[in-house]
Amino acid sequence: MNGAGLLFVSALVAAAPVPTRDSAAAAELKRATQELLSAIAPGNWSVWEKYLDESILYTAEDGRTFTKAQLREEMRPLPPGYSGSIEVESADVRQYGDTAVVSHEDLEREEVFGQKLVSRYHATDTWVRRAGKWRLVASQVLVRLQDPAPATIDPKVLDAYVGRYEISPSASFTVTREGDRLFGERNGRPRQPLLPETETVFFTPGAPRTRKLFVRDADGRVTRMIDRRDGRDIVWTRAEGR
């Protein structure tokens, strides 16, 4: 990098805002965040009206983005038979003058006709102080994906999946069995366990976005393995005699 480039980078670093630590503001924003989350289950819009800026852009965990008017139409109390709560487990507040960013981890507990569900979320909120009051101008929520519970299947089923699968002569995926467990290894990568979600669908612990699906032909032979990530598929064909 030449001298002009170094000066440009130095200027950018010097101009970058430095977050301040205002304990009172941080406590106020954490409290407001919990109020907003506590208002979701009962569909209490008045709490959201209190804090939302008119320009709010809210991106939910399913990827949809709402304006304030759209969010108001979307908010409804949980239906009969449902109950739940969302708790802020941890939050980090960075303040830049009259703007603040709150990054928080949230725990949702839900009960559906007696069945209990637990979900975790990460959210990043941007607040702006207008006329002495904090207003939420942007929020993005991400769901913390979790592995499914492994299923119990007949170990004899596993033998049908053992073999080599290819997408090209240079790209292969080998499935092996040890005891009552399957392992998968793509050439050039470490071997990983494959746990059953169903008799034909397997997953790798710690990779909840992906699945391995084994497909049989009309004669019942396993001929393909589908590598599915985020609903998109790559098909591996079983190499005969390997």
Side-chain angles (χ1 to χ4, degrees), residues 88-151:
V88 178
E89 288 195 306
S90 63
D92 182 57
V93 180
R94 305 292 177 93
Q95 188 176 349
Y96 305 86
D98 286 334
T99 301
V101 176
V102 182
S103 176
H104 50 102
E105 300 288 334
D106 308 321
L107 172 65
E108 179 184 44
R109 295 184 177 93
E110 189 173 6
E111 188 166 325
V112 181
F113 292 94
Q115 299 186 53
K116 299 183 185 300
L117 301 173
V118 174
S119 299
R120 294 182 183 276
Y121 303 91
H122 173 82
T124 303
D125 300 334
T126 302
W127 295 76
V128 173
R129 187 160 49 193
R130 303 189 194 280
K133 295 183 179 180
W134 288 105
R135 307 292 288 179
L136 185 63
V137 298
S139 180
Q140 183 171 30
V141 183
L142 304 174
V143 64
R144 293 288 192 188
L145 299 179
Q146 304 177 58
D147 292 334

Side-chain angles (χ1 to χ4, degrees), residues 27-242:
E28 181 181 355
L29 289 168
K30 290 177 182 179
R31 183 172 59 253
T33 300
Q34 184 60 69
E35 286 183 40
L36 289 168
L37 296 180
S38 296
I40 292 176
N44 188 354
W45 176 253
S46 63
V47 175
W48 286 69
E49 178 67 41
K50 174 183 175 182
Y51 290 114
L52 262 59
D53 193 77
E54 292 301 321
S55 65
I56 179 75
L57 283 179
Y58 182 93
T59 302
E61 65 272 16
D62 60 6
R64 293 182 297 162
T65 298
F66 299 91
T67 63
K68 185 175 181 178
Q70 291 168 334
L71 196 58
R72 181 172 185 172
E73 289 298 316
E74 186 76 10
M75 183 167 287
R76 296 287 185 274
L78 292 176
Y82 289 67
S83 62
S85 63
I86 305 177
E87 175 187 353
V88 178
E89 288 195 306
S90 63
D92 182 57
V93 180
R94 305 292 177 93
Q95 188 176 349
Y96 305 86
D98 286 334
T99 301
V101 176
V102 182
S103 176
H104 50 102
E105 300 288 334
D106 308 321
L107 172 65
E108 179 184 44
R109 295 184 177 93
E110 189 173 6
E111 188 166 325
V112 181
F113 292 94
Q115 299 186 53
K116 299 183 185 300
L117 301 173
V118 174
S119 299
R120 294 182 183 276
Y121 303 91
H122 173 82
T124 303
D125 300 334
T126 302
W127 295 76
V128 173
R129 187 160 49 193
R130 303 189 194 280
K133 295 183 179 180
W134 288 105
R135 307 292 288 179
L136 185 63
V137 298
S139 180
Q140 183 171 30
V141 183
L142 304 174
V143 64
R144 293 288 192 188
L145 299 179
Q146 304 177 58
D147 292 334
T152 300
I153 65 175
D154 186 344
K156 296 178 182 178
V157 175
L158 303 179
D159 288 332
Y161 306 138
V162 173
R164 180 176 174 181
Y165 301 80
E166 298 178 339
I167 53 176
S168 77
S170 61
S172 64
F173 189 91
T174 302
V175 177
T176 56
R177 175 184 172 184
E178 290 185 11
D180 60 354
R181 299 184 70 186
L182 286 184
F183 292 85
E185 182 178 358
R186 183 172 174 178
N187 58 318
R189 297 187 180 180
R191 189 180 71 155
Q192 297 178 319
L194 298 176
L195 303 185
E197 186 172 0
T198 70
E199 281 198 353
T200 59
V201 180
F202 291 74
F203 67 94
T204 296
R209 294 170 56 197
T210 64
R211 296 292 189 275
K212 299 290 190 295
L213 294 76
F214 294 96
V215 181
R216 298 177 183 268
D217 62 14
D219 296 323
R221 296 176 301 178
V222 176
T223 58
R224 292 179 296 158
M225 182 192 72
I226 296 176
D227 191 352
R228 178 167 294 168
R229 184 177 66 177
D230 299 332
R232 294 175 173 82
D233 296 345
I234 295 177
V235 178
W236 300 70
T237 302
R238 189 166 191 170
E240 294 295 336
R242 300 183 185 181

